[in-house]
Amino acid sequence: MFDISSKKRIVLKLGTSTLTHKTGKLNIRRMKNLIQILADLHNSGREIIIVSSGAVGMGIGKLNLTSKPTDTPTKQAVAAVGQCELMHTYDNMFEKYNVTVAQILLTKHILSNGLSNVQNTLQRLLEMGVIPIVNENDTVAIDELELKIGENDSLAAMVANIADADLLIIMSDIDGLYSSDPHKNPDAKVIPVVERIDENIVEMAGGAGSALGTGGMATKISAAKMVTDAGIDMIIMNGKDPEKLYDLFDNKEVGTVFLAKNYSDKS
Ligand code: GLU
């Protein structure tokens, strides 16, 4: 069975909808709770890597734009402003608990050509007791040449793989994987455990996504496929209530757990 107590190295993906209000401005109450809990988990001896979205969302907030830009130069400029604000926020909030953070910005190009450097740096940062905070380098990633990773669910899965993590947690604006679309079907239920990602599961994932973020359930399922194939468990849970992380680490049922392939061989 899934047992969280054995999970030491954890990649946590935070979506824009978890970090900001719909305006793109920081959700202060939620972030305060979240950072406190993450600092606590870090103090308990866990190694934490955050994959954080929010550069574009926070850039929109900081620049007081009314909607997400559509052209590449504006998107990249907004991301440049927002990434700065994002790291400033993490740095300030973690500092309160004496936790040091570091920024790592990745592109598809780096992941295909400089993987061992990324791996070594992540490893060294974790040894130093630092929390690496990873995002796609949205300011330079090139959409048109398909050199963009595209969304942070895939990025988080790649990071979990290269960091050889024990667990990937995706915090989003949904409670988990539902048996059917909860917006259309009031009887839809969160599936607590997925042992195998088959066509049925892919179908349940449908589409969707929030106004400021990029991914939907479909990108989360493909992230789950990527990590579980590599022997890493994954959880999708709602980020609106960070205290649920404590429940999760108390081995209570939270969100949807996707079990790693060959689970019995691992545990
Ligand atoms: N890298 C984008 C950002 O920081 C987010 C992509 C996503 O939401 O998946 O805004």
Side-chain angles (χ1 to χ4, degrees):
M1 247 331 276
F2 176 75
D3 176 16
I4 200 141
S5 56
S6 62
K7 312 289 179 207
K8 178 157 195 241
R9 184 168 292 184
I10 295 157
V11 175
L12 187 94
K13 188 256 174 177
L14 301 173
T16 304
S17 59
T18 299
L19 306 176
T20 67
H21 291 286
K22 289 203 173 71
T23 54
K25 304 265 188 206
L26 189 70
N27 188 326
I28 298 172
R29 182 166 72 173
R30 189 179 295 155
M31 275 296 267
K32 267 185 158 171
N33 283 345
L34 191 59
I35 302 299
Q36 185 180 10
I37 295 166
L38 293 181
D40 209 6
L41 287 173
H42 178 260
N43 286 354
S44 74
R46 292 196 161 82
E47 296 173 329
I48 293 171
I49 300 171
I50 297 175
V51 174
S52 180
S53 302
V56 176
M58 287 183 88
I60 291 171
K62 180 98 179 175
L63 293 163
N64 290 314
L65 306 181
T66 46
S67 61
K68 198 169 172 171
T70 47
D71 66 292
T72 304
T74 315
K75 258 198 275 183
Q76 296 197 306
V78 168
V81 171
Q83 181 63 31
C84 195
E85 179 75 355
L86 188 64
M87 285 312 297
H88 174 71
T89 305
Y90 278 117
D91 198 23
N92 271 335
M93 288 187 152
F94 272 114
E95 195 183 27
K96 199 171 158 212
Y97 304 100
N98 285 321
V99 175
T100 303
V101 298
Q103 168 181 267
I104 299 188
L105 296 177
L106 298 175
T107 59
K108 208 176 206 175
H109 181 73
I110 297 170
L111 287 174
S112 9
N113 296 289
L115 196 57
S116 60
N117 284 10
V118 179
Q119 240 162 354
N120 294 342
T121 308
L122 276 171
Q123 177 62 29
R124 191 51 50 84
L125 285 167
L126 293 172
E127 283 163 11
M128 290 171 163
V130 171
I131 296 188
I133 301 181
V134 183
N135 196 0
E136 181 164 13
N137 194 347
D138 295 313
T139 298
V140 299
I142 310 163
D143 217 348
E144 293 78 358
L145 296 180
E146 292 183 357
L147 283 175
K148 231 177 134 41
I149 297 161
E151 32 68 35
N152 278 2
D153 295 325
S154 305
L155 177 63
M158 290 178 210
V159 170
N161 275 353
I162 61 177
D164 197 17
D166 301 312
L167 177 67
L168 167 63
I169 302 174
I170 293 193
M171 291 188 102
S172 182
D173 53 1
I174 189 140
D175 292 339
L177 175 66
Y178 278 88
S179 51
S180 59
D181 186 345
H183 302 295
K184 294 188 193 135
N185 181 0
D187 294 329
K189 297 239 167 3
V190 171
I191 301 170
V193 181
V194 172
E195 291 186 13
R196 208 167 62 86
I197 299 166
D198 53 19
E199 276 169 28
N200 239 339
I201 298 290
V202 174
E203 213 165 282
M204 279 175 199
S210 70
L212 296 181
T214 308
M217 190 49 81
T219 59
K220 291 172 183 52
I221 298 301
S222 70
K225 176 108 186 61
M226 206 192 294
V227 292
T228 54
D229 278 351
I232 302 166
D233 298 308
M234 186 182 116
I235 291 174
I236 297 176
M237 61 182 281
N238 205 322
K240 74 168 194 273
D241 194 7
E243 277 84 9
K244 284 262 159 73
L245 275 171
Y246 280 132
D247 289 345
L248 181 67
F249 283 89
D250 284 341
N251 255 326
K252 293 190 186 137
E253 199 175 280
V254 176
T256 301
V257 182
F258 297 82
L259 295 181
K261 258 195 182 164
N262 304 324
Y263 197 79
S264 48
D265 303 343
K266 267 196 92 196
S267 49

